[in-house]
Amino acid sequence: MTGGPHGPDQASRPPARLGAASGRWVILATVLGSGMALLDATAVNVALPAIGRGLHASLAGLQWVISGYILALAALILLGGSLGDRVGRRRIFLTGVAWFALASALCGLAPDIGVLIAARVLQGIGGALLVPGSMAIISAAFAAADRPAAIGAWSGLGGLASAAGPLLGGWLVTTLGWRWVFLLNLPIAAVILAVAHRHLPESRDRLVTRRFDVLGAVLAALALAGISYALIGASGGSSGGGSGAGRADAALAAALAAVAGLAAGAGFLVVERRRQRPGARGPAPMLPFAVFASRQFTVINLITFCVYAAVGGTTFLLVLQLQVSDGFSALAAGASMLPVTAALLVLSPRSARLAQRIGPRWPIAAGALIAAAGLAAMTRIGPGAGYLAEVAPAVTAFGLGMALIVAPLTATVLASAPARYAGVASGVNNAVARSANLLAVAGLPAAVGLSAAGYRVPADLTRGFHAAMAICAGAMVVAAVLAAATVDEQVLRPAGPRSVVQAEGERRRRRRGLPVVPPDRRAGGEELGRVLAPDEAVGLRLHADDAGRAGPGSLGLHPDQR
């Protein structure tokens, strides 16, 4: 079987090996693809003040530069993965790379903030096509023996790309201008397309029979867009003018957007529930509710939301504070985040092994408290703050906390769901993290009273920044409490071939005095009381192992988000 004009099908060639040329080409193409999206996402934050000056943008405009991208990516990333499974992962990956490159060119040439925001939304659509495809291609292309090491190499190299983002973005802004933060993607995309055209095999899921859920994806996007617009509009920046009439119009538009967003969210839940009825025809559900049968999975996603809301708010506002209030250059502001990068690269693999040995509860809880302490220390960063005295200690503590959190959190997500839902669990957690980031960027400025033009006034920005860091520290404390109270210490221990959802089922039946052997099918068909079959057990251990190897992750992204 061959892939025709779209490249060789995986079935027509032997699996790639990590030490062979075929494996190295696959790693190169997928790392460059996911790395391009990661580098762009982290570099743009550093460029925000320069973009604001160059395009005369308000704070709301800068919020939408970040939020527009995250919105499209969070809403469509599950759909992008489904498209790859059905149409061909290589084909969708290449489409995403080309789309991302064209949108990047439009970003780099944008004459005003409105065009830039529209181009960033288009970038997010391209990212939703290429990001899930990069990991899926590796999973399909490599032999089973090499797959964990290949995913580890991919995640580690992707982490380096993300780590280089703030520093490279600062250098580009300082030397060539902010437009090159986007235009740099064009030569990278050209290399990806050339390598992928010759060396990436095509693969698809031939067992998929139902159509993908376009309506669910559209409703999810509308829900996130409406809520984000309402939050950003609450700061007074969504309308022009500062008159009473202008503010009233902005308030009305924000209220209508909130209502529309909530209605779309309710519609999404109704549609997804109907898709999951027994015997339902039509598209497969975008979000299988059965994955939430595990209380552990639900709780770990609440923790994810708290952690990545804090991360999103911090990375958005810190670079603004350092450049506008403290007088840092773009390069210095980008370099200020190096302690976070170093901590993640060096300590994440160790935190993964620690969580495997003692359980993820205390690494996540301790990491969240340490990160909260770092965020609280950021309230000392004000006009005239020195890097060594005020910035470095706070950023270092934040990085150490995140290094303790990221790998155990990702591994727990994968281990908390039934093995057959591992891909869905990964995608759901991905979307939760991105949505938290989106809502923090959209809502924090309004929550702390930062006005549309306030980010240009050092005193106003500093007051808002200090209040925002206190809120972010509070979110981390909530995450720590949830982790200490609810995370199962046994979830990552290879004591037996059982998933957490089955262990929970057994405990529930014992409390009721019921036998454990008969299956309990209340979790959407998953037999909670039984022992996993050998192939399911292997799959569960593989996913947990992959997450542990993916320690050198980027700030704000899980390994599978690349």
Side-chain angles (χ1 to χ4, degrees), residues 274-303:
R274 288 179 178 175
R275 301 247 196 268
Q276 294 170 72
R277 290 175 178 171
R281 299 177 179 269
M286 178 178 170
L287 179 63
F289 291 155
V291 74
F292 291 100
S294 166
R295 182 180 68 91
Q296 191 71 188
F297 181 78
T298 302
V299 168
I300 207 68
N301 276 285
L302 290 175
I303 295 171

PDB file of all heavy atoms in Angstrom, residues 274-303:
ATOM      1  N   ARG A 274     -25.419  14.432  23.151  1.00  0.00           N
ATOM      2  CA  ARG A 274     -26.202  13.713  22.149  1.00  0.00           C
ATOM      3  C   ARG A 274     -25.320  12.798  21.301  1.00  0.00           C
ATOM      4  O   ARG A 274     -25.729  11.706  20.925  1.00  0.00           O
ATOM      5  CB  ARG A 274     -26.928  14.714  21.251  1.00  0.00           C
ATOM      6  CG  ARG A 274     -28.087  15.423  21.943  1.00  0.00           C
ATOM      7  CD  ARG A 274     -28.753  16.419  21.030  1.00  0.00           C
ATOM      8  NE  ARG A 274     -29.904  17.059  21.677  1.00  0.00           N
ATOM      9  CZ  ARG A 274     -30.609  18.042  21.140  1.00  0.00           C
ATOM     10  NH1 ARG A 274     -30.277  18.518  19.921  1.00  0.00           N
ATOM     11  NH2 ARG A 274     -31.634  18.556  21.794  1.00  0.00           N
ATOM     12  N   ARG A 275     -24.115  13.243  21.029  1.00  0.00           N
ATOM     13  CA  ARG A 275     -23.203  12.420  20.209  1.00  0.00           C
ATOM     14  C   ARG A 275     -22.836  11.114  20.915  1.00  0.00           C
ATOM     15  O   ARG A 275     -22.425  10.158  20.266  1.00  0.00           O
ATOM     16  CB  ARG A 275     -21.931  13.197  19.928  1.00  0.00           C
ATOM     17  CG  ARG A 275     -22.135  14.523  19.184  1.00  0.00           C
ATOM     18  CD  ARG A 275     -21.538  14.456  17.806  1.00  0.00           C
ATOM     19  NE  ARG A 275     -21.366  15.766  17.204  1.00  0.00           N
ATOM     20  CZ  ARG A 275     -22.252  16.376  16.438  1.00  0.00           C
ATOM     21  NH1 ARG A 275     -23.422  15.798  16.215  1.00  0.00           N
ATOM     22  NH2 ARG A 275     -22.000  17.554  15.877  1.00  0.00           N
ATOM     23  N   GLN A 276     -22.956  11.090  22.258  1.00  0.00           N
ATOM     24  CA  GLN A 276     -22.475   9.949  23.027  1.00  0.00           C
ATOM     25  C   GLN A 276     -23.589   9.006  23.460  1.00  0.00           C
ATOM     26  O   GLN A 276     -23.345   8.069  24.218  1.00  0.00           O
ATOM     27  CB  GLN A 276     -21.710  10.468  24.249  1.00  0.00           C
ATOM     28  CG  GLN A 276     -20.434  11.193  23.828  1.00  0.00           C
ATOM     29  CD  GLN A 276     -19.763  11.931  24.969  1.00  0.00           C
ATOM     30  OE1 GLN A 276     -19.188  11.303  25.857  1.00  0.00           O
ATOM     31  NE2 GLN A 276     -19.805  13.246  24.952  1.00  0.00           N
ATOM     32  N   ARG A 277     -24.806   9.243  22.991  1.00  0.00           N
ATOM     33  CA  ARG A 277     -25.880   8.320  23.298  1.00  0.00           C
ATOM     34  C   ARG A 277     -25.645   6.982  22.611  1.00  0.00           C
ATOM     35  O   ARG A 277     -25.109   6.928  21.503  1.00  0.00           O
ATOM     36  CB  ARG A 277     -27.216   8.907  22.845  1.00  0.00           C
ATOM     37  CG  ARG A 277     -27.678  10.097  23.687  1.00  0.00           C
ATOM     38  CD  ARG A 277     -28.935  10.702  23.115  1.00  0.00           C
ATOM     39  NE  ARG A 277     -29.425  11.811  23.931  1.00  0.00           N
ATOM     40  CZ  ARG A 277     -30.403  12.622  23.567  1.00  0.00           C
ATOM     41  NH1 ARG A 277     -31.027  12.432  22.404  1.00  0.00           N
ATOM     42  NH2 ARG A 277     -30.775  13.608  24.360  1.00  0.00           N
ATOM     43  N   PRO A 278     -26.052   5.888  23.261  1.00  0.00           N
ATOM     44  CA  PRO A 278     -25.895   4.575  22.626  1.00  0.00           C
ATOM     45  C   PRO A 278     -26.577   4.543  21.269  1.00  0.00           C
ATOM     46  O   PRO A 278     -27.719   4.980  21.120  1.00  0.00           O
ATOM     47  CB  PRO A 278     -26.564   3.622  23.621  1.00  0.00           C
ATOM     48  CG  PRO A 278     -26.495   4.336  24.940  1.00  0.00           C
ATOM     49  CD  PRO A 278     -26.627   5.791  24.621  1.00  0.00           C
ATOM     50  N   GLY A 279     -25.850   4.051  20.283  1.00  0.00           N
ATOM     51  CA  GLY A 279     -26.398   3.936  18.940  1.00  0.00           C
ATOM     52  C   GLY A 279     -26.419   5.235  18.162  1.00  0.00           C
ATOM     53  O   GLY A 279     -26.998   5.297  17.068  1.00  0.00           O
ATOM     54  N   ALA A 280     -25.801   6.287  18.701  1.00  0.00           N
ATOM     55  CA  ALA A 280     -25.809   7.582  18.007  1.00  0.00           C
ATOM     56  C   ALA A 280     -25.057   7.484  16.691  1.00  0.00           C
ATOM     57  O   ALA A 280     -24.018   6.836  16.595  1.00  0.00           O
ATOM     58  CB  ALA A 280     -25.183   8.649  18.895  1.00  0.00           C
ATOM     59  N   ARG A 281     -25.619   8.131  15.674  1.00  0.00           N
ATOM     60  CA  ARG A 281     -24.971   8.198  14.372  1.00  0.00           C
ATOM     61  C   ARG A 281     -24.392   9.593  14.181  1.00  0.00           C
ATOM     62  O   ARG A 281     -24.595  10.482  14.984  1.00  0.00           O
ATOM     63  CB  ARG A 281     -25.971   7.865  13.264  1.00  0.00           C
ATOM     64  CG  ARG A 281     -26.553   6.463  13.359  1.00  0.00           C
ATOM     65  CD  ARG A 281     -27.588   6.229  12.272  1.00  0.00           C
ATOM     66  NE  ARG A 281     -28.130   4.884  12.360  1.00  0.00           N
ATOM     67  CZ  ARG A 281     -27.626   3.838  11.724  1.00  0.00           C
ATOM     68  NH1 ARG A 281     -26.576   3.995  10.938  1.00  0.00           N
ATOM     69  NH2 ARG A 281     -28.166   2.644  11.857  1.00  0.00           N
ATOM     70  N   GLY A 282     -23.682   9.755  13.091  1.00  0.00           N
ATOM     71  CA  GLY A 282     -23.112  11.062  12.814  1.00  0.00           C
ATOM     72  C   GLY A 282     -21.715  11.196  13.380  1.00  0.00           C
ATOM     73  O   GLY A 282     -21.041  10.199  13.673  1.00  0.00           O
ATOM     74  N   PRO A 283     -21.249  12.420  13.564  1.00  0.00           N
ATOM     75  CA  PRO A 283     -19.862  12.635  13.992  1.00  0.00           C
ATOM     76  C   PRO A 283     -19.565  12.036  15.356  1.00  0.00           C
ATOM     77  O   PRO A 283     -20.433  11.957  16.224  1.00  0.00           O
ATOM     78  CB  PRO A 283     -19.743  14.168  14.024  1.00  0.00           C
ATOM     79  CG  PRO A 283     -20.834  14.660  13.137  1.00  0.00           C
ATOM     80  CD  PRO A 283     -21.947  13.677  13.275  1.00  0.00           C
ATOM     81  N   ALA A 284     -18.323  11.621  15.538  1.00  0.00           N
ATOM     82  CA  ALA A 284     -17.864  11.169  16.842  1.00  0.00           C
ATOM     83  C   ALA A 284     -17.742  12.372  17.772  1.00  0.00           C
ATOM     84  O   ALA A 284     -17.437  13.478  17.325  1.00  0.00           O
ATOM     85  CB  ALA A 284     -16.505  10.468  16.711  1.00  0.00           C
ATOM     86  N   PRO A 285     -17.997  12.197  19.063  1.00  0.00           N
ATOM     87  CA  PRO A 285     -17.918  13.339  19.985  1.00  0.00           C
ATOM     88  C   PRO A 285     -16.499  13.889  20.082  1.00  0.00           C
ATOM     89  O   PRO A 285     -15.528  13.137  20.107  1.00  0.00           O
ATOM     90  CB  PRO A 285     -18.375  12.749  21.323  1.00  0.00           C
ATOM     91  CG  PRO A 285     -18.122  11.286  21.205  1.00  0.00           C
ATOM     92  CD  PRO A 285     -18.337  10.941  19.766  1.00  0.00           C
ATOM     93  N   MET A 286     -16.415  15.192  20.155  1.00  0.00           N
ATOM     94  CA  MET A 286     -15.118  15.837  20.334  1.00  0.00           C
ATOM     95  C   MET A 286     -14.588  15.604  21.744  1.00  0.00           C
ATOM     96  O   MET A 286     -13.380  15.495  21.965  1.00  0.00           O
ATOM     97  CB  MET A 286     -15.276  17.338  20.059  1.00  0.00           C
ATOM     98  CG  MET A 286     -14.035  18.175  20.232  1.00  0.00           C
ATOM     99  SD  MET A 286     -14.393  19.904  19.823  1.00  0.00           S
ATOM    100  CE  MET A 286     -12.889  20.689  20.395  1.00  0.00           C
ATOM    101  N   LEU A 287     -15.497  15.504  22.725  1.00  0.00           N
ATOM    102  CA  LEU A 287     -15.115  15.345  24.125  1.00  0.00           C
ATOM    103  C   LEU A 287     -15.898  14.191  24.741  1.00  0.00           C
ATOM    104  O   LEU A 287     -17.028  14.380  25.219  1.00  0.00           O
ATOM    105  CB  LEU A 287     -15.402  16.636  24.898  1.00  0.00           C
ATOM    106  CG  LEU A 287     -15.075  16.627  26.391  1.00  0.00           C
ATOM    107  CD1 LEU A 287     -13.579  16.432  26.607  1.00  0.00           C
ATOM    108  CD2 LEU A 287     -15.548  17.915  27.046  1.00  0.00           C
ATOM    109  N   PRO A 288     -15.346  12.974  24.766  1.00  0.00           N
ATOM    110  CA  PRO A 288     -16.037  11.857  25.414  1.00  0.00           C
ATOM    111  C   PRO A 288     -16.133  12.081  26.925  1.00  0.00           C
ATOM    112  O   PRO A 288     -15.122  12.164  27.610  1.00  0.00           O
ATOM    113  CB  PRO A 288     -15.138  10.653  25.086  1.00  0.00           C
ATOM    114  CG  PRO A 288     -14.291  11.081  23.943  1.00  0.00           C
ATOM    115  CD  PRO A 288     -14.097  12.550  24.117  1.00  0.00           C
ATOM    116  N   PHE A 289     -17.356  12.154  27.434  1.00  0.00           N
ATOM    117  CA  PHE A 289     -17.535  12.435  28.855  1.00  0.00           C
ATOM    118  C   PHE A 289     -17.071  11.282  29.735  1.00  0.00           C
ATOM    119  O   PHE A 289     -16.819  11.476  30.928  1.00  0.00           O
ATOM    120  CB  PHE A 289     -19.006  12.736  29.148  1.00  0.00           C
ATOM    121  CG  PHE A 289     -19.488  14.029  28.561  1.00  0.00           C
ATOM    122  CD1 PHE A 289     -20.832  14.218  28.268  1.00  0.00           C
ATOM    123  CD2 PHE A 289     -18.609  15.060  28.290  1.00  0.00           C
ATOM    124  CE1 PHE A 289     -21.286  15.417  27.732  1.00  0.00           C
ATOM    125  CE2 PHE A 289     -19.043  16.252  27.752  1.00  0.00           C
ATOM    126  CZ  PHE A 289     -20.387  16.436  27.471  1.00  0.00           C
ATOM    127  N   ALA A 290     -16.957  10.085  29.163  1.00  0.00           N
ATOM    128  CA  ALA A 290     -16.558   8.930  29.966  1.00  0.00           C
ATOM    129  C   ALA A 290     -15.177   9.106  30.576  1.00  0.00           C
ATOM    130  O   ALA A 290     -14.868   8.509  31.613  1.00  0.00           O
ATOM    131  CB  ALA A 290     -16.579   7.663  29.103  1.00  0.00           C
ATOM    132  N   VAL A 291     -14.342   9.944  29.968  1.00  0.00           N
ATOM    133  CA  VAL A 291     -13.000  10.139  30.495  1.00  0.00           C
ATOM    134  C   VAL A 291     -13.053  10.809  31.870  1.00  0.00           C
ATOM    135  O   VAL A 291     -12.149  10.655  32.687  1.00  0.00           O
ATOM    136  CB  VAL A 291     -12.148  10.968  29.500  1.00  0.00           C
ATOM    137  CG1 VAL A 291     -12.542  12.431  29.510  1.00  0.00           C
ATOM    138  CG2 VAL A 291     -10.669  10.821  29.817  1.00  0.00           C
ATOM    139  N   PHE A 292     -14.142  11.541  32.166  1.00  0.00           N
ATOM    140  CA  PHE A 292     -14.273  12.206  33.456  1.00  0.00           C
ATOM    141  C   PHE A 292     -14.868  11.289  34.520  1.00  0.00           C
ATOM    142  O   PHE A 292     -15.148  11.749  35.641  1.00  0.00           O
ATOM    143  CB  PHE A 292     -15.133  13.466  33.316  1.00  0.00           C
ATOM    144  CG  PHE A 292     -14.467  14.555  32.522  1.00  0.00           C
ATOM    145  CD1 PHE A 292     -14.793  14.753  31.194  1.00  0.00           C
ATOM    146  CD2 PHE A 292     -13.495  15.356  33.099  1.00  0.00           C
ATOM    147  CE1 PHE A 292     -14.170  15.746  30.457  1.00  0.00           C
ATOM    148  CE2 PHE A 292     -12.873  16.348  32.371  1.00  0.00           C
ATOM    149  CZ  PHE A 292     -13.201  16.548  31.041  1.00  0.00           C
ATOM    150  N   ALA A 293     -15.087  10.017  34.195  1.00  0.00           N
ATOM    151  CA  ALA A 293     -15.558   9.078  35.213  1.00  0.00           C
ATOM    152  C   ALA A 293     -14.527   8.915  36.318  1.00  0.00           C
ATOM    153  O   ALA A 293     -14.865   8.585  37.450  1.00  0.00           O
ATOM    154  CB  ALA A 293     -15.868   7.725  34.580  1.00  0.00           C
ATOM    155  N   SER A 294     -13.265   9.141  35.996  1.00  0.00           N
ATOM    156  CA  SER A 294     -12.209   9.093  36.999  1.00  0.00           C
ATOM    157  C   SER A 294     -12.180  10.413  37.769  1.00  0.00           C
ATOM    158  O   SER A 294     -11.910  11.472  37.185  1.00  0.00           O
ATOM    159  CB  SER A 294     -10.850   8.845  36.339  1.00  0.00           C
ATOM    160  OG  SER A 294      -9.801   9.123  37.245  1.00  0.00           O
ATOM    161  N   ARG A 295     -12.461  10.365  39.058  1.00  0.00           N
ATOM    162  CA  ARG A 295     -12.373  11.564  39.885  1.00  0.00           C
ATOM    163  C   ARG A 295     -10.965  12.134  39.844  1.00  0.00           C
ATOM    164  O   ARG A 295     -10.758  13.350  39.847  1.00  0.00           O
ATOM    165  CB  ARG A 295     -12.767  11.238  41.326  1.00  0.00           C
ATOM    166  CG  ARG A 295     -12.754  12.439  42.264  1.00  0.00           C
ATOM    167  CD  ARG A 295     -13.160  12.034  43.668  1.00  0.00           C
ATOM    168  NE  ARG A 295     -12.163  11.180  44.291  1.00  0.00           N
ATOM    169  CZ  ARG A 295     -11.143  11.625  45.042  1.00  0.00           C
ATOM    170  NH1 ARG A 295     -11.009  12.917  45.243  1.00  0.00           N
ATOM    171  NH2 ARG A 295     -10.295  10.786  45.580  1.00  0.00           N
ATOM    172  N   GLN A 296      -9.965  11.247  39.785  1.00  0.00           N
ATOM    173  CA  GLN A 296      -8.584  11.694  39.743  1.00  0.00           C
ATOM    174  C   GLN A 296      -8.309  12.528  38.489  1.00  0.00           C
ATOM    175  O   GLN A 296      -7.620  13.550  38.544  1.00  0.00           O
ATOM    176  CB  GLN A 296      -7.649  10.482  39.775  1.00  0.00           C
ATOM    177  CG  GLN A 296      -6.201  10.809  39.985  1.00  0.00           C
ATOM    178  CD  GLN A 296      -5.900  11.292  41.401  1.00  0.00           C
ATOM    179  OE1 GLN A 296      -4.799  11.722  41.669  1.00  0.00           O
ATOM    180  NE2 GLN A 296      -6.857  11.250  42.291  1.00  0.00           N
ATOM    181  N   PHE A 297      -8.856  12.118  37.364  1.00  0.00           N
ATOM    182  CA  PHE A 297      -8.663  12.865  36.115  1.00  0.00           C
ATOM    183  C   PHE A 297      -9.315  14.241  36.205  1.00  0.00           C
ATOM    184  O   PHE A 297      -8.743  15.246  35.768  1.00  0.00           O
ATOM    185  CB  PHE A 297      -9.255  12.072  34.941  1.00  0.00           C
ATOM    186  CG  PHE A 297      -9.088  12.754  33.618  1.00  0.00           C
ATOM    187  CD1 PHE A 297      -7.878  12.735  32.957  1.00  0.00           C
ATOM    188  CD2 PHE A 297     -10.156  13.426  33.034  1.00  0.00           C
ATOM    189  CE1 PHE A 297      -7.714  13.376  31.737  1.00  0.00           C
ATOM    190  CE2 PHE A 297     -10.008  14.065  31.818  1.00  0.00           C
ATOM    191  CZ  PHE A 297      -8.786  14.041  31.161  1.00  0.00           C
ATOM    192  N   THR A 298     -10.506  14.301  36.774  1.00  0.00           N
ATOM    193  CA  THR A 298     -11.189  15.583  36.921  1.00  0.00           C
ATOM    194  C   THR A 298     -10.395  16.526  37.817  1.00  0.00           C
ATOM    195  O   THR A 298     -10.193  17.706  37.490  1.00  0.00           O
ATOM    196  CB  THR A 298     -12.594  15.364  37.505  1.00  0.00           C
ATOM    197  OG1 THR A 298     -13.326  14.481  36.639  1.00  0.00           O
ATOM    198  CG2 THR A 298     -13.352  16.674  37.616  1.00  0.00           C
ATOM    199  N   VAL A 299      -9.911  16.015  38.944  1.00  0.00           N
ATOM    200  CA  VAL A 299      -9.167  16.853  39.883  1.00  0.00           C
ATOM    201  C   VAL A 299      -7.860  17.330  39.271  1.00  0.00           C
ATOM    202  O   VAL A 299      -7.469  18.494  39.420  1.00  0.00           O
ATOM    203  CB  VAL A 299      -8.906  16.073  41.186  1.00  0.00           C
ATOM    204  CG1 VAL A 299      -7.887  16.801  42.048  1.00  0.00           C
ATOM    205  CG2 VAL A 299     -10.199  15.890  41.957  1.00  0.00           C
ATOM    206  N   ILE A 300      -7.156  16.452  38.568  1.00  0.00           N
ATOM    207  CA  ILE A 300      -5.861  16.848  38.016  1.00  0.00           C
ATOM    208  C   ILE A 300      -6.041  17.911  36.940  1.00  0.00           C
ATOM    209  O   ILE A 300      -5.169  18.762  36.721  1.00  0.00           O
ATOM    210  CB  ILE A 300      -5.094  15.620  37.476  1.00  0.00           C
ATOM    211  CG1 ILE A 300      -3.579  15.872  37.516  1.00  0.00           C
ATOM    212  CG2 ILE A 300      -5.514  15.256  36.088  1.00  0.00           C
ATOM    213  CD1 ILE A 300      -2.994  15.956  38.890  1.00  0.00           C
ATOM    214  N   ASN A 301      -7.191  17.918  36.276  1.00  0.00           N
ATOM    215  CA  ASN A 301      -7.453  18.981  35.306  1.00  0.00           C
ATOM    216  C   ASN A 301      -7.803  20.299  35.998  1.00  0.00           C
ATOM    217  O   ASN A 301      -7.480  21.372  35.476  1.00  0.00           O
ATOM    218  CB  ASN A 301      -8.556  18.560  34.344  1.00  0.00           C
ATOM    219  CG  ASN A 301      -8.013  17.742  33.198  1.00  0.00           C
ATOM    220  OD1 ASN A 301      -7.391  18.254  32.280  1.00  0.00           O
ATOM    221  ND2 ASN A 301      -8.238  16.433  33.253  1.00  0.00           N
ATOM    222  N   LEU A 302      -8.458  20.239  37.163  1.00  0.00           N
ATOM    223  CA  LEU A 302      -8.657  21.459  37.949  1.00  0.00           C
ATOM    224  C   LEU A 302      -7.322  22.045  38.394  1.00  0.00           C
ATOM    225  O   LEU A 302      -7.104  23.269  38.352  1.00  0.00           O
ATOM    226  CB  LEU A 302      -9.533  21.165  39.162  1.00  0.00           C
ATOM    227  CG  LEU A 302     -11.009  20.853  38.888  1.00  0.00           C
ATOM    228  CD1 LEU A 302     -11.714  20.459  40.190  1.00  0.00           C
ATOM    229  CD2 LEU A 302     -11.699  22.063  38.263  1.00  0.00           C
ATOM    230  N   ILE A 303      -6.407  21.185  38.804  1.00  0.00           N
ATOM    231  CA  ILE A 303      -5.065  21.640  39.179  1.00  0.00           C
ATOM    232  C   ILE A 303      -4.358  22.248  37.981  1.00  0.00           C
ATOM    233  O   ILE A 303      -3.715  23.302  38.077  1.00  0.00           O
ATOM    234  CB  ILE A 303      -4.258  20.468  39.768  1.00  0.00           C
ATOM    235  CG1 ILE A 303      -4.890  19.993  41.075  1.00  0.00           C
ATOM    236  CG2 ILE A 303      -2.800  20.870  39.984  1.00  0.00           C
ATOM    237  CD1 ILE A 303      -4.290  18.706  41.612  1.00  0.00           C
TER     238      ILE A 303
END
